[in-house]
Structures are given as structure tokens and as C-alpha cells.
Amino acid sequence: MIQVAALQIPSALDQETFNNLMMLVSEEKRTRILRFRFAADALRTLLAEVLLRLELCERLRVPNSALGFITNPYGKPYLDRLSGCSFNLAHSGSWVSVAIGPEPI
């Protein structure tokens, strides 16, 4: 079964909350987020990544630290150690969404 979660992006996030959320993502993702020119792009990427991690942890019953990602030759990320779970991220306007399922999405 495909599970879908969505989150409306706030217009702003206080610095402490932003920093706390940044600690939930990988060093590589933090570096990428901090390179964005516009704060809205950084926030969108951060919240999508945190939403994905939250949903994967819940679905797979693993801690955030157990999640590792690698990318295919086209840059699409997937889980490096846990099989049987595929995901896709999307954003539009002030929303980010995550779809997770057993087959490629």
C-alpha cells in the first residue's frame, strides 16, 4: 500500500527550530540546504527531508540514525540498506509531500 503524507510549509521558521531540524538530516543534506540562495528553497528542502525521515522511521520502525541514502546514476535517492520500500518527494507552492510504498513510485 502507498502511504502519502503532506506538510504545509510555514512562511517562516525561527532559527532555533530550523537548527534543530537540520540536526535530523545528513551532513551532506545540511551542506546542500545551506547552499540555497533563497531561504524558502532551503526551508522547503529541509521540511521535505524531515517529513520523509519521519514517515520512513514510522513505517520501517527504525530510528532516524538507521536511515542511509544513496543515489542512482540519475540522482534519485533511495535507501541504502533497507529494501522493499520506495519513496518519492514532491513540492508545489507552499506544500511538500512524500509517497512511500513497496514498489517504485
Side-chain angles (χ1 to χ4, degrees):
M1 173 174 26
I2 294 176
Q3 173 184 343
V4 177
L7 174 69
Q8 187 169 22
I9 302 167
S11 58
L13 201 64
D14 65 85
Q15 192 63 46
E16 182 180 359
T17 303
F18 183 86
N19 292 342
N20 289 338
L21 292 174
M22 286 284 277
M23 297 311 298
L24 297 174
V25 303
S26 69
E27 180 67 35
E28 178 183 339
K29 185 63 77 168
R30 285 193 294 267
T31 300
R32 181 171 173 246
I33 289 168
L34 292 174
R35 282 191 207 143
F36 281 108
R37 183 175 194 177
F38 299 107
D41 294 331
L43 184 56
R44 181 182 306 111
T45 300
L46 174 60
L47 292 178
E49 179 75 9
V50 170
L51 180 61
L52 172 65
R53 287 175 171 274
L54 176 70
E55 295 297 325
L56 285 172
C57 288
E58 184 177 306
R59 184 180 182 107
L60 300 172
R61 294 189 166 98
V62 299
N64 184 40
S65 59
L67 298 176
F69 299 91
I70 53 179
T71 56
N72 70 16
Y74 303 103
K76 176 158 174 58
Y78 61 95
L79 291 170
D80 66 348
R81 290 178 290 191
L82 303 168
S83 61
C85 189
S86 186
F87 62 87
N88 200 10
L89 300 170
H91 61 83
S92 179
S94 64
W95 289 88
V96 294
S97 63
V98 174
I100 302 171
E103 302 293 327
I105 297 175

